[in-house]
Structures are given as structure tokens and as C-alpha cells.
Amino acid sequence: MKEDVRQARDAQVMREVLQGRRRGFAALAPFAGPAIVVSVAYIDPGNFATNIQAGARYGYALLWVVVLANLVAMLFQSLSARIGIVTGYNLAQLCRQHLPRPLVWMMWVVSELAAMATDLAEFLGGAIGLALLFHMPLLAGMVITGVVTYVLLLLEGRGARRLELTIGALVGVVGLSYLIELFIAPVDWAAVGLHVFKPDLPDGMAVALAVGIIGATVMPHALFLHSGLTERRAKPSNDVERRRIIHLSNVEVILALAVAGLINLAMVIMAASAFHGGHPDVARIETAYQTLVPLLGGAAATIFLVSLIASGFSSSVVGTMAGQMIMQGFVDFRIPLWLRRAVTMLPSFAVVAAGVDATRALVLSQVALSIALPFPMVALVWFASHQRVMGAFQVSRPVTAVASIAALLVLTLNVILLLDTFGAVSL
């Protein structure tokens, strides 16, 4: 009953916003949530590994890559939100409606595999953090991570707002953790200010890391999920209201991903300040934790693990939500939440049982995402610029051109990353 009352109140507030009776933050607040949820994809444990390696090996030199990657993410997440608001369908549903059936089935299989690869990185990240913090076996950390994320997923049944607030709180934990780390680490702020804007690629390995940062930035499951979260957020009754929702969504995307971008910058800055001078070869999460203890103290190392656990929990929840939406959108089929959670955990347990290094598994999961990325990325640009799908809300030619160039850049970098991974090229 309380949930029904709250939902009715939220609907009334949204109606007042669309009618122009609420402005400023009071207008943004009731519509906020979707971009906050998907922003988790940009601070997941896979980012931890890449950012630590970039900062340890090259100091502040690759900060500009993080900024560029974040701008690309803002563009594509705003397009994903836009198609959901305008069409009332998510990206997977639009693919099912407009694309040839064989292509739809292939996209579904690839996207499901990508969702499982995403969950592998996120699930392992949370488990690694628990294992290191509480000195328990990695398998025990995985079991706890699975139980906690399933409990968090159950919150969605009690209202999407409750889950959004919980995920927002976990993002806040990650952000606060790195804010504290920046006060502990000896940061050269002049160098930070320089390298945020100055492009610099010292050698071939720096190119490989830049490829990894940019190529893994736009996450396939985030593109699918954002369109689904916005299409069910509010139901505009005319084009004026639809434009207002798009505007509010764009503002939220900028704010939420700006926070995620700052957290990624903080990860690189912390790694550069702590490791670059004497430990440039730090690349594994476990090594980073062990090295932080003598360098910055036990408190800094503990804060690092707390942020990793919060990232793993929140991103694993979001990955499962995206996988459910992908299945329902492409093939109009839904399985129980506990079954999906169990299925997506199996690869993680298999990897650990086989003795594969956890950090290496994180890297390989990013390779899988690189293979899957072209499908949703190209589809998103095509739908957003297609007049028959978007009507008067199709994006302008300049925006289409920028999105196409950005997509080509990201996809090219992904190809380079894949070729380097399999030894076809050497960076």
C-alpha cells in the first residue's frame, strides 16, 4: 500500500514537471535514476584493473584518454535514453521489430554472451574485494557476492526507485572512497591539470592501454539497459512533454557520467601517485592492495577494497538487469530472476575452479565485450538517426556525424585491442 501511494505521488510530481510547474532540481529529481544506474557500468571492476595499470605505468599521462572516453560515453548513453523516451521501446525490442530475423537471433546470442562476460568481471571484482578484506577464500567471496546481489535485485520488485537509490548509494561509496584516497596519496595537481588536456602516448604499451580504456568504455549492456529504463520512466502525452523529458534525461546523463568520469580519473590519479614512482609494474588488483599497505597505510588499502566491493555489488546487479532486458527484448522471453542470477554466476565459478588468474579473467571479459560492442553501437546510431523510427525526434545530421565518427573510433580501437590480444599485431 505504501509503495502504491509513493508511486502515485511520483506520478503526480512528474506530471507537474511536464506541465512546467516545477523547475530546476525539483524538475530533475523525479526523472533521475536511469543514468545513475547505467553509470555503474563505467566504474565496474574492469575499470579498476585498467586504470590501476595506466596510472602505475605512465603516471598522469593517460588522464586525457579517460576524459575522451567519458565524452564518448555521454554521447551514446544520451542516444540510448532518447530512443527509449521517443519510441517507448528499448533497443533490443527495436532490433526485433525492424531487423531481419536471423540478424536478431545472432544479436541476441552475442549480447547474452556479452552480458555474461560483463557479469564475470563485476562478480569477480566484488569477490576479490571480499576475499582480500576479510581474508577468506575467493570462492567464499563469490558465494557472498552472489547472495548480496540477488537480495539487491529483489528490491526492484518493491519499486524501481528503491533499487535506484540503493545503486546510487553504492556509487556514492565508490566516489567517496576515491575522494578520501586523493587526500591520502601525494598528488601532483599541476601535472594532473596538464595531462587532463594534453594528449600523450609515450610508447606502444601506452597505446594499448589507451585502446583498452576507450575501447571498453561504451558497454553493450549499458546501451541496451538505458533505453529500457527510460522507456518505462514516464509516458509523455505530446511532443512538448517528450522534448522536456529528453532535456532532463540529457542533463542527468551529463551529471551522472561526469561523476563516473571523475571517479575513473581519481583511480588513475591514485595509482599514479602511489605506484608510478617505485612500483610501475603494478597491474593486478591484488598486487595494488598489497602494495598500498606499506606505501599509504592500511586505511588507504582498506578504502580501496571497500570501493571495489561496492563497485562489484552494484555493477553485478546492473549487469543482471541488463541481461534480463536483453532476453525479453530480443526474443520476448523472461526467466525467473534467481535462475538468471545463477546462470550468470556459473562462468565465474568455472573460471576460479579452473585455476585461471582472476585479474586475467577480468581482462579476457573485456575482450568478449569488444567482440559484442559493434552490434548495439551501430544499431543505436542507425535507429537514432532514422526518421521512420524517431519521427521529428531523429538526431540532427551533425550529431549523427559525430556519433558515427565516435563509433568508428571505438570500433577501430576494439579491433586493434582484439588483434593485439591474439598476437596479430604488437603494440
Side-chain angles (χ1 to χ4, degrees):
M1 181 65 69
K2 289 183 178 179
E3 188 63 32
D4 292 338
V5 172
R6 190 188 62 77
Q7 290 179 356
R9 185 175 64 249
D10 289 346
Q12 176 60 33
V13 172
M14 288 182 180
R15 180 54 45 194
E16 291 176 2
V17 172
L18 296 180
Q19 293 172 351
R21 289 187 282 160
R22 286 177 179 248
R23 298 186 180 278
F25 179 77
L28 178 62
F31 289 91
I36 295 173
V37 170
V38 298
S39 72
V40 170
Y42 300 98
I43 54 172
D44 70 1
N47 293 92
F48 275 66
T50 304
N51 290 333
I52 288 170
Q53 190 173 359
R57 185 176 292 270
Y58 297 105
Y60 306 112
L62 298 184
L63 288 176
W64 67 275
V65 180
V66 178
V67 174
L68 177 61
N70 208 60
L71 293 175
V72 173
M74 287 180 180
L75 172 61
F76 278 91
Q77 292 304 150
S78 66
L79 291 180
S80 178
R82 186 186 188 94
I83 67 170
I85 294 167
V86 171
T87 67
Y89 297 100
N90 62 53
L91 180 58
Q93 290 172 322
L94 288 174
C95 290
R96 190 178 83 224
Q97 294 171 6
H98 295 277
L99 300 180
R101 189 60 54 190
L103 179 58
V104 170
W105 281 95
M106 182 178 69
M107 290 181 67
W108 172 57
V109 172
V110 172
S111 299
E112 286 285 5
L113 293 175
M116 295 181 72
T118 301
D119 197 67
L120 171 65
E122 296 158 348
F123 188 68
L124 276 177
I128 291 170
L130 285 172
L132 291 173
L133 184 60
F134 297 106
H135 307 288
M136 63 175 64
L138 182 58
L139 282 174
M142 294 170 67
V143 171
I144 294 174
T145 301
V147 172
V148 171
T149 53
Y150 179 68
V151 171
L152 292 175
L153 283 163
L154 293 178
L155 290 175
E156 191 176 21
R158 304 183 65 181
R161 198 64 169 172
R162 195 183 299 267
L163 179 59
E164 290 170 357
L165 291 173
T166 302
I167 291 175
L170 290 171
V171 172
V173 169
V174 180
L176 181 60
S177 297
Y178 271 93
L179 180 62
I180 296 172
E181 295 277 23
L182 293 183
F183 281 103
I184 297 175
V187 179
D188 183 349
W189 290 108
V192 169
L194 173 65
H195 289 289
V196 162
F197 300 103
K198 178 189 174 185
D200 185 16
L201 293 170
D203 55 31
M205 183 61 188
V207 175
L209 276 173
V211 168
I213 292 170
I214 297 178
T217 291
V218 183
M219 307 292 280
H221 72 291
L223 296 181
F224 285 111
L225 182 61
H226 204 165
S227 60
L229 294 176
T230 54
E231 59 95 5
R232 65 190 186 193
R233 189 70 177 181
K235 300 298 181 183
S237 57
N238 54 56
D239 283 354
V240 174
E241 293 184 355
R242 197 167 281 109
R243 290 188 188 282
R244 182 152 182 77
I245 295 175
I246 290 173
H247 170 73
L248 293 171
S249 174
N250 289 340
V251 172
E252 190 206 359
V253 166
I254 292 172
L255 293 177
L257 293 193
V259 171
L262 290 173
I263 292 173
N264 276 307
L265 287 172
M267 288 183 193
V268 178
I269 292 169
M270 186 278 290
S273 304
F275 306 135
H276 182 57
H279 304 272
D281 294 327
V282 170
R284 299 171 69 247
I285 290 174
E286 298 93 325
T287 307
Y289 164 69
Q290 294 160 358
T291 308
L292 274 174
V293 175
L295 288 179
L296 301 181
T302 299
I303 292 169
F304 169 73
L305 291 184
V306 168
S307 67
L308 178 62
I309 293 168
S311 169
F313 285 175
S314 56
S315 57
S316 191
V317 169
V318 170
T320 304
M321 292 170 59
Q324 190 79 292
M325 188 172 293
I326 287 169
M327 174 177 285
Q328 192 171 5
F330 275 118
V331 295
D332 197 21
F333 183 71
R334 188 181 183 93
I335 61 176
L337 192 60
W338 66 267
L339 180 58
R340 170 161 287 280
R341 177 70 276 191
V343 170
T344 54
M345 288 193 304
L346 287 178
S348 302
F349 281 96
V351 165
V352 173
V356 178
D357 177 74
T359 301
R360 177 61 177 167
L362 293 179
V363 174
L364 292 176
S365 72
Q366 300 306 305
V367 174
L369 294 179
S370 299
I371 296 173
L373 182 59
F375 296 99
M377 203 173 200
V378 172
L380 182 58
V381 175
W382 189 83
F383 285 128
S385 61
H386 203 285
Q387 199 275 334
R388 186 163 64 90
V389 175
M390 300 293 287
F393 293 91
Q394 69 178 119
V395 295
S396 64
R397 289 183 178 178
V399 173
T400 301
V402 171
S404 299
I405 293 171
L408 182 61
L409 170 66
V410 172
L411 297 179
T412 300
L413 291 177
N414 272 282
V415 170
I416 295 173
L417 178 63
L418 290 171
L419 293 175
D420 179 60
T421 300
F422 293 107
V425 299
S426 179
L427 293 176

